[in-house]
């Protein structure tokens, strides 16, 4: 079975540009999570969806960040405009249960570098 | 601040030795999970222990949970070079709505 699929795996962009990260969760999973990992702050939960509905976006750093889940098999995380401090690895994860009752299945991550 | 804190931050051992990593947390939890992350890869779930459980085994992994001390430990027995990775604990708050990860322990197993 395919796991969580993220694209792109690597992205290098210049400050001010729009960045869109994509995620395809595991089929049948009804919860989807976006995390950001940096050396300074570790793994931070940005937002999670349950049945395509955003449940908690309190981790989204600021209005430059937005996330959507138009259907059960696709989600995007958009940064506009991007800044150098957004450089990080962004992980998408899905779960077959509610947010806090089971294991998360992570994608391989999207490494973003903003110059 | 993050819910879980791992100790030590880094651990270097020889192949065949046992590795023990600890996790402490601050508030009540529903469950605690351990994940492994190989360099440049995503996190992989290892084991979940519920708040009413004290010990759990999975292959060479042994996890303990002491809710009175708000701590957990992950023991990897007979370590292998392939166990080299970062290990994270993640807690599910009973009063919160998010799974929170600790800073991780970087384990190096030398062949």
């Amino acid at each position: 079975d395919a796991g969580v699929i993220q694209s792109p795996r690597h992205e290098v962009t210049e400050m001010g540009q729009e960045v869109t990260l994509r995620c395809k969760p595991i089929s049948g999973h009804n919860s989807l999570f976006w995390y950001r990992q940096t050396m300074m702050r570790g793994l931070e939960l940005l937002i999670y969806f349950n049945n395509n509905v955003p449940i908690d976006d309190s981790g989204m750093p600021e209005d430059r960040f937005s996330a959507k889940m138009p259907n059960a098999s696709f989600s995007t995380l958009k940064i506009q405009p991007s800044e150098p401090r957004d450089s990080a690895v962004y992980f998408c994860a899905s779960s077959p249960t509610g947010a806090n009752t089971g294991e998360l299945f992570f994608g391989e991550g999207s490494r973003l570098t903003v110059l | 601040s993050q819910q879980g804190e791992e100790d030590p931050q880094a651990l270097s051992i020889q192949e065949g030795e046992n590795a023990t990593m600890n996790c402490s947390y601050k508030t009540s939890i529903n469950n605690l999970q351990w994940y492994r992350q190989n360099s440049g890869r995503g996190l992989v779930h290892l084991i979940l222990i519920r708040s009413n459980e004290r010990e759990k085994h999975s292959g060479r992994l042994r996890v303990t949970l002491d809710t009175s001390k708000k701590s957990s430990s992950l023991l990897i027995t007979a370590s292998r070079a392939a166990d080299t990775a970062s290990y994270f604990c993640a807690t599910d708050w009973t009063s919160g709505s998010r799974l929170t990860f600790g800073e991780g322990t970087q384990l190096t197993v030398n062949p």
Side-chain angles (χ1 to χ4, degrees):
Chain A
D1 288 339
V4 175
I5 299 172
Q6 293 187 245
S7 65
R9 288 295 312 278
H10 302 274
E11 172 125 0
V12 179
T13 190
E14 292 188 346
M15 183 173 62
Q17 296 297 306
E18 178 179 294
V19 174
T20 299
L21 307 178
R22 299 172 177 80
C23 175
K24 177 178 169 55
I26 293 173
S27 178
H29 285 191
N30 60 357
S31 294
L32 183 140
F33 308 80
W34 283 101
Y35 281 86
R36 178 172 68 177
Q37 186 177 38
T38 61
M39 290 294 292
M40 292 295 294
R41 299 175 67 88
L43 267 163
E44 303 172 278
L45 177 64
L46 301 178
I47 185 171
Y48 81 86
F49 296 83
N50 193 41
N51 293 324
N52 312 339
V53 176
I55 303 300
D56 182 356
D57 65 355
S58 60
M60 296 286 263
E62 47 198 274
D63 291 345
R64 298 184 297 105
F65 285 70
S66 63
K68 294 181 179 179
M69 191 164 187
N71 57 61
S73 59
F74 184 65
S75 177
T76 59
L77 178 67
K78 186 173 292 187
I79 308 172
Q80 167 61 23
S82 58
E83 297 182 2
R85 60 188 167 129
D86 301 331
S87 298
V89 182
Y90 291 83
F91 287 101
C92 176
S94 67
S95 171
T97 58
N100 296 320
T101 58
E103 66 179 277
L104 300 185
F105 295 77
F106 281 79
E108 297 287 22
S110 294
R111 180 176 294 277
L112 173 65
T113 302
V114 183
L115 303 174
Chain B
S1 63
Q2 296 203 351
Q3 168 75 321
E5 294 184 5
E6 285 92 341
D7 169 57
Q9 288 189 329
L11 180 63
S12 181
I13 60 174
Q14 295 300 122
E15 208 164 26
E17 294 180 341
N18 295 340
T20 300
M21 289 158 273
N22 303 296
C23 170
S24 60
Y25 56 92
K26 296 184 176 67
T27 61
S28 297
I29 60 172
N30 282 323
N31 64 60
L32 185 145
Q33 304 180 36
W34 285 91
Y35 287 78
R36 183 188 74 228
Q37 183 180 32
N38 289 83
S39 181
R41 308 295 297 274
L43 283 78
V44 175
H45 180 265
L46 294 176
I47 196 164
L48 180 154
I49 186 166
R50 301 198 183 280
S51 59
N52 61 354
E53 298 175 309
R54 291 297 167 259
E55 187 171 313
K56 206 162 183 179
H57 297 254
S58 177
R60 293 184 296 113
L61 305 181
R62 173 177 169 253
V63 169
T64 61
L65 179 64
D66 187 334
T67 53
S68 67
K69 295 181 179 178
K70 293 186 169 58
S71 67
S72 173
S73 67
L74 170 67
L75 169 67
I76 303 174
T77 60
S79 64
R80 305 166 181 168
D83 295 328
T84 294
S86 292
Y87 291 82
F88 295 87
C89 69
T91 49
D92 159 23
W93 305 10
T94 54
S95 60
S97 60
R98 51 180 58 200
L99 192 64
T100 306
F101 287 81
E103 299 285 348
T105 292
Q106 172 61 52
L107 173 67
T108 302
V109 181
N110 301 298

